[in-house]
């Protein structure tokens, strides 16, 4: 891969503490992750995204950091982390880490100093108000779990701002010293060898919060400054960010007003994600076609990151109330499957009823759409969720490696695990685990390996264009193509249950020894005027290769 390696990457996201425990204390650790790198290499992923690894009270699963320059002792040491980077690179795998700098823990030394005195050098590192702000009860990220975004601190004798939980005070990005510190943090980890950062809550690190103004201004120039800093310190490092904002505002996260792609490299495509889930619920591709049409054009070098599931809930906030209810009825019919009045806290396998055909279809579709695919750990074996766990923890259960006790995740007693392993039922570790699927050439894991390696032989998908093939097609069928310097791929996906036939005869004149590279069954020779497609079927066809 070249300098824009991220355009052809396959990203695998994981929580270190629930992935693999090497020392038997019940908590996954960096040494355990190192021991599983060969598994990830065989799977075909090229980049591992680690959720927060910093020291933290872990009141919000590590997103409440107390030291941005360290590794949480329960996960290992900085020495272990550098060894991880070395071993990953040896296998052709890059590592990116979460950059959660929109806030800190209220136990961070900066905040403890800031609240202690108005004269503290860190006082202005946070956002304060001497009087109760009128927008105190607006802008909550976690409705139902939050009641305010401004809290009174008795020691400081002032109100402090927290977009998230009250134990996560927001940093003040209007303060140049805060910006410089964030750049130091970035430089530190780049120097160690990370390949970039996933920026949590990007809209909030550019927000210049004004008490009483629920629509405080945003300074996009900080993204330009941060991008420049990253490029100088690590030439091919990437900034992958989360910004679930209105479509009209998206391009500003990538580019300045002049059209230069000088801000973020890539954004998670929340617009496409919501429409993809809606399409699966309806068994109708039209929402995906709408998303492909309505998504703003990106400047050269900018990239989307696609996903079906990530570490949070499936966020349906970009859908209408009626569309959201459709998805709920199909995939989250029970109240405890939903969260924040906007999302679903389930894994995809149980959402689709454990239907192997629909699982393959869903991921074949995601991985063939434009952008960089992101895969959640455990989804490659069809892990389920534990709805007895609070909130987002339902899908943050330990990785299921084998039928051994605790799913092979840890040798600790079950009651000492960081979180219970899913046991019993259709998705328990006794049935769903890596070892069992490794022995089965027809397993979901084997299919994922084949699909990912096929994708890596088709760079047009990540770095080329993605176009809906607008021809009459049976209900439920999406036909699209990816064009790039290396050639053209054609994709057919049937979201419905009926066997169908699709006429793409107009493409025949472009074909140069077309070959089917991935399909749900053997469809025989490629005949563009009569392409058969089974219910929940898919076909990836190389139309032509130019290099």
């Amino acid at each position: 891969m070249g300098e824009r390696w991220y355009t052809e990457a396959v990203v695998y996201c994981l929580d270190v503490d629930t992935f693999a425990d090497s020392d038997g204390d019940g908590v996954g650790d960096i040494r355990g992750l190192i021991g599983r790198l060969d598994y990830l290499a065989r799977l075909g992923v090229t980049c591992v995204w680690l959720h927060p690894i910093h020291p933290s009270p872990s009141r919000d699963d590590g997103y409440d950091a107390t030291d941005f320059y360290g590794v949480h002792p329960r996960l290992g040491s900085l020495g272990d982390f550098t060894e991880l980077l070395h071993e990953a690179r040896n296998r052709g795998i890059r590592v990116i880490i979460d950059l959660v700098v929109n806030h800190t823990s209220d136990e961070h030394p900066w905040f403890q100093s800031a609240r202690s005195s108005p004269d503290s050098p860190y006082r202005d590192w946070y956002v304060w108000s001497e009087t109760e702000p009128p927008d105190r009860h607006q802008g909550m990220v976690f409705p139902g779990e939050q009641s305010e975004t401004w809290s009174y601190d008795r020691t400081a004798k002032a109100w402090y701002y927290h977009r998230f939980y009250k134990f996560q005070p927001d940093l003040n990005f209007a303060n140049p010293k805060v910006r410089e510190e964030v750049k130091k943090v970035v430089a530190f980890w780049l120097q160690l060898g990370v390949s970039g950062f996933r920026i949590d809550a990007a809209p909030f690190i550019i927000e210049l919060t004004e008490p009483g103004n629920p629509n405080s201004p945003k300074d996009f120039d900080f993204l330009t400054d941060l991008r420049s800093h990253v490029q100088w310190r690590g030439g091919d490092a990437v900034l992958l960010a989360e910004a679930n904002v209105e479509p009209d505002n998206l391009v500003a996260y990538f580019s300045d007003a002049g059209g230069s792609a000088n801000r973020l490299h890539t954004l998670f495509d929340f617009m496409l994600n919501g429409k993809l889930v809606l399409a699966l619920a309806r068994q109708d591709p039209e929402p995906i076609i709408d998303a492909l049409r309505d998504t703003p054009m990106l400047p050269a070098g900018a990239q989307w990151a696609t996903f079906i599931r990530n570490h949070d809930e499936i966020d349906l906030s970009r859908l209408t109330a009626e569309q959201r209810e459709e998805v709920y009825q199909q995939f989250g019919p029970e109240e405890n499957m939903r969260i924040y009045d906007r999302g679903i806290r389930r894994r995809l396998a149980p959402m689709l009823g454990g239907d192997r055909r629909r699982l393959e279809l869903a991921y074949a579709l995601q991985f063939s759409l434009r952008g960089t695919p992101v895969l959640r750990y455990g989804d490659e074996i069809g892990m389920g969720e534990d709805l007895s766990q609070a909130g987002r923890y339902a899908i943050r259960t330990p990785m299921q490696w084998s039928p051994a006790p605790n799913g092979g995740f840890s040798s600790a007693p079950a009651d000492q695990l960081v979180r219970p392993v899913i046991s019993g039922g259709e998705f328990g570790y006794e049935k769903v685990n890596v070892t069992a699927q490794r022995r089965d050439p027809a397993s979901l894991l084997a299919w994922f390996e084949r699909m990912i390696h096929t994708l890596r032989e088709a760079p047009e998908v990540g770095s080329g264009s993605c176009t809906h093939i607008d021809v009459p097609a049976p209900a439920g069928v999406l036909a699209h193509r990816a064009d790039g310097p290396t050639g053209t791929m054609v994709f057919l996906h049937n979201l419905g249950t009926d066997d169908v036939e699709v006429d793409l005869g107009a493409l025949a004149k472009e074909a140069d020894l077309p070959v089917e590279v991935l399909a749900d069954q053997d469809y025989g020779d490629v005949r563009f005027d009569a392409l058969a497609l089974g219910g929940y079927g898919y076909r990836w066809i190389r139309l032509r290769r130019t290099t």
Side-chain angles (χ1 to χ4, degrees), residues 104-177:
T104 70
S105 166
D106 60 2
E107 297 181 28
H108 196 293
W110 298 344
F111 187 72
Q112 290 299 310
S113 174
R115 69 196 290 259
S116 68
S117 168
D119 299 324
S120 165
Y122 292 101
R123 184 73 165 200
D124 290 338
W125 284 45
Y126 295 88
V127 184
W128 301 93
S129 176
E130 297 301 318
T131 58
E132 179 180 344
D135 60 340
R136 173 185 169 191
H137 298 289
Q138 298 182 38
M140 280 83 72
V141 173
F142 303 130
E145 296 183 11
Q146 273 180 282
S147 60
E148 59 185 9
T149 52
W150 290 88
S151 291
Y152 187 74
D153 184 80
R154 295 180 182 276
T155 301
K157 297 182 175 58
W159 297 81
Y160 67 92
Y161 183 65
H162 54 91
R163 175 67 76 164
F164 291 76
Y165 296 113
K166 67 182 299 182
F167 55 81
Q168 293 169 319
D170 275 35
L171 286 165
N172 177 17
F173 278 86
N175 185 341
K177 292 182 179 179

Side-chain angles (χ1 to χ4, degrees), residues 5-6 9-13 47-51 96-99 195-202 205 223 226-227 230 237-243 253-254 263-270 303-307 311 372-375:
W5 59 269
Y6 55 90
V10 177
V11 180
Y12 187 91
C13 67
C47 178
V48 173
W49 156 31
L50 304 181
H51 299 314
I96 65 175
I97 64 172
D98 261 336
L99 183 68
S195 291
F197 305 89
R198 175 264 186 182
I199 301 177
D200 187 51
I205 71 168
L223 296 180
L226 188 61
R227 166 72 174 264
V230 166
V238 66
L239 294 175
L240 165 63
E242 174 189 71
Y253 286 86
F254 292 106
R263 291 176 180 165
L264 300 173
H265 299 82
T266 182
L267 277 179
F268 287 104
D269 195 343
F270 283 95
Q303 181 83 339
W304 294 113
T306 67
F307 63 101
H311 60 298
T372 300
V374 179
L375 179 67

Side-chain angles (χ1 to χ4, degrees), residues 460 481-490 507 509-515 528 541-547:
E460 303 92 342
R481 60 188 289 169
D483 294 272
T486 53
T488 298
M489 294 283 293
V490 172
L507 297 180
K509 60 181 179 295
E510 299 182 49
D512 180 14
L513 298 176
V515 59
F528 282 106
I541 301 168
R542 176 160 288 287
L543 186 68
R544 59 187 178 86
R545 182 181 291 279
T546 56
T547 58

Side-chain angles (χ1 to χ4, degrees), residues 68-69 97 99-102 110 125 171-173 175-192 194 197 199 205 219-234 237 239:
F68 293 113
Y69 296 97
I97 64 172
L99 183 68
V100 188
V101 291
N102 51 300
W110 298 344
W125 284 45
L171 286 165
N172 177 17
F173 278 86
N175 185 341
K177 292 182 179 179
V178 170
R179 297 185 179 205
E180 288 304 310
E181 189 69 25
V182 168
K183 289 161 66 175
K184 283 175 58 180
V185 169
V186 165
F188 174 83
W189 293 100
L190 288 175
Q191 192 67 33
L192 285 181
V194 302
F197 305 89
I199 301 177
I205 71 168
D219 183 6
F220 285 93
D221 287 341
F222 177 58
L223 296 180
T224 306
D225 190 26
L226 188 61
R227 166 72 174 264
S228 175
H229 181 72
V230 166
Q231 300 299 158
W232 279 106
R233 293 300 182 101
L239 294 175

Side-chain angles (χ1 to χ4, degrees), residues 360-361 364 447 492-493 518-520 523 533 536-540:
E360 286 189 19
L361 168 72
W447 177 84
L492 288 169
H493 294 88
L518 186 73
D520 65 297
Y523 288 105
L533 199 59
Y536 298 141
Y538 54 89
R539 300 180 71 172
W540 291 13

